[in-house]
Amino acid sequence: MEIFKYMEKYDYEQVVFCQDEASGLKAIIAIHDTTLGPALGGARMWTYATEENAIEDALRLARGMTYKNAAAGLNLGGGKTVIIGDPFTDKNEEMFRALGRFIQGLNGRYITAEDVGTTVTDMDLIHEETNYVTGISPAFGSSGNPSPVTAFGVYRGMKAAAKEAFGTDILDGRTVSVQGLGNVAYKLCEYLHNEGAKLIVTDINQAAIDRVVTDFGAAAVSPDEIYVQDVDIFSPCALGAILNDDTIPQLKAKVIAGSANNQLQESRHGDQLHELGIVYAPDYVINAGGVINVADELYGYDKDRAMKRVEGIYDSIEKIFSISKRDNIPTYIAANRLAEDRIARVAKSRSQFLKNEKNILHGR
């Protein structure tokens, strides 16, 4: 892998390789862009087939966080940590404390958080060595489990998408199919049930299905049947790359709005949804409630303030639809444009400020 060529292509700022022999830590910290502020992104632990795969994942995820944080209106850039190892068998205290020291050495350019394969306990260990970590235990001033907040953001974004498709954001009487019933999706189903929506759900875990059927009166179908349901809204809340050549032709929904990451298998599938007239709420915008919530910890966590910002996902989704219609572009491109325009405006303002400071310094 030609790392510098890849970094230059997507304008990455920094990649840090972290190795600690005593603990077995092998990690990559990727910082994509800090125009808006320090890079914020979680620490993922996974059993990668190759070191190159781990590097590529760190780079891809860091860039994704730049867009996610920018579109969410946060004064934060994008970064990510990838730890190479099995999250079930390879963890130890020394590993996460060593990672904390590496993060501390970046002097605030990067702030980490919980991600796939890591837990609040792991974040607490990182916190022993640095304050540049969020998602720690509530005893340390953290916001706790982010899943309910993420679900609230998805619910708000879904309402905005419904308004775009149906002329009203009222979900009472609408039928919503939910794919995947983890912590975020369960809370989302609760919001939808309380508003009067009808639920059709699926999961590979029968216990998760039974819980939603019992608590919210949902109808259950097999995983393969979820795409063909005659529903108003399809909510993917599990796998990535779920919108692809096989699934899109099966969909009857007019709206796609869910919490899953990387829902489009390829960019062209976003183009296809646009051509079909399906209203797609871009995943990294609608599922930003969690990162908005943990970002509030940097100011001293205030739940009401955080929830107010998460509520604003409704407005962000509306802006994306407006850009999409104005420029006749798919919503995934409109979301990128929203993020890129914000970064460009701040970069221009900063450049002008530095120019003025230089002129003052030299008496011009």
Side-chain angles (χ1 to χ4, degrees):
M1 182 181 183
E2 296 182 277
I3 295 176
F4 279 109
K5 184 176 289 187
Y6 189 98
M7 290 177 68
E8 184 178 5
K9 181 179 179 181
Y10 296 109
D11 200 20
Y12 287 83
E13 293 179 5
Q14 189 174 8
V15 179
V16 180
F17 294 90
C18 311
Q19 189 276 144
D20 181 69
E21 184 178 3
S23 66
L25 174 70
K26 290 181 175 61
I28 302 106
I29 301 173
I31 297 175
H32 176 245
D33 187 283
T34 58
T35 301
L36 298 177
L40 173 66
R44 174 170 297 195
M45 188 171 186
W46 199 250
T47 50
Y48 293 93
T50 66
E51 292 180 2
E52 184 175 278
N53 288 349
I55 295 167
E56 288 176 344
D57 204 28
L59 290 166
R60 178 182 60 84
L61 292 167
R63 184 165 176 257
M65 288 306 302
T66 294
Y67 282 80
K68 188 169 194 170
N69 292 336
L74 300 174
N75 295 316
L76 293 164
K80 205 76 174 186
T81 294
V82 157
I83 305 168
I84 300 173
D86 189 327
F88 299 104
T89 60
D90 295 341
K91 287 183 181 181
N92 57 66
E93 176 183 354
E94 294 77 17
M95 172 182 291
F96 288 98
R97 294 191 67 150
L99 178 60
R101 292 191 293 273
F102 282 112
I103 292 170
Q104 179 65 23
L106 292 170
N107 295 315
R109 279 179 52 77
Y110 169 69
I111 303 163
T112 198
E114 183 182 346
D115 201 272
V116 174
T118 61
T119 66
V120 171
T121 300
D122 301 328
M123 296 306 106
D124 286 348
L125 292 172
I126 292 173
H127 187 238
E128 292 292 330
E129 304 289 344
T130 183
N131 287 324
Y132 300 121
V133 55
T134 60
I136 53 180
S137 296
F140 297 118
S142 167
S143 55
N145 181 7
S147 296
V149 186
T150 302
F152 178 64
V154 174
Y155 170 66
R156 291 288 297 167
M158 185 182 291
K159 287 176 72 67
K163 183 179 178 182
E164 179 68 18
F166 309 120
T168 175
D169 67 4
I170 296 173
L171 299 178
D172 184 18
R174 297 284 175 198
T175 303
V176 183
S177 58
V178 182
Q179 180 190 48
L181 299 171
N183 291 333
V184 172
Y186 176 84
K187 189 65 179 178
L188 174 63
C189 287
E190 182 178 348
Y191 281 118
L192 295 172
H193 172 72
N194 289 343
E195 190 171 335
K198 302 171 185 176
L199 297 170
I200 299 175
V201 301
T202 196
D203 197 283
I204 59 173
N205 182 343
Q206 188 60 46
I209 292 174
D210 293 343
R211 184 185 181 200
V212 173
V213 169
T214 300
D215 292 354
F216 309 127
V221 298
S222 71
D224 290 340
E225 293 176 321
I226 196 69
Y227 307 107
V228 300
Q229 299 304 308
D230 189 8
V231 298
D232 299 300
I233 301 168
F234 171 52
S235 185
C237 296
L239 302 174
I242 208 66
L243 300 171
N244 54 53
D245 291 338
D246 293 329
T247 61
I248 291 175
Q250 299 181 58
L251 296 175
K252 295 182 174 65
K254 296 296 184 184
V255 172
I256 299 174
S259 65
N261 288 309
N262 304 314
Q263 293 171 23
L264 301 173
Q265 187 176 59
E266 298 178 28
S267 296
R268 64 184 177 85
H269 294 116
D271 301 332
Q272 188 176 354
L273 294 176
H274 181 67
E275 291 164 4
L276 291 170
I278 297 174
V279 175
Y280 169 59
D283 45 38
Y284 71 79
V285 180
I286 197 172
N287 69 13
V291 72
I292 292 171
N293 192 56
V294 297
D296 195 81
E297 296 177 21
L298 303 174
Y299 305 96
Y301 185 65
D302 183 303
K303 183 177 180 179
D304 291 340
R305 179 177 62 200
M307 293 299 283
K308 188 68 176 177
R309 295 205 69 168
V310 174
E311 193 173 313
I313 288 175
Y314 186 110
D315 300 325
S316 296
I317 295 293
E318 282 199 314
K319 287 178 185 175
I320 287 166
F321 293 150
S322 178
I323 294 170
S324 174
K325 288 186 290 187
R326 183 194 69 195
D327 299 342
N328 192 27
I329 55 176
T331 54
Y332 80 94
I333 296 178
N336 291 348
R337 191 164 294 179
L338 177 71
E340 290 164 354
D341 287 351
R342 180 167 179 247
I343 293 169
R345 288 195 307 271
V346 172
K348 182 179 179 180
S349 174
R350 179 175 295 168
S351 177
Q352 185 60 51
F353 174 79
L354 292 174
K355 182 179 179 180
N356 291 342
E357 287 287 291
K358 184 177 180 181
N359 287 340
I360 292 171
L361 181 64
H362 292 284
R364 293 198 295 267

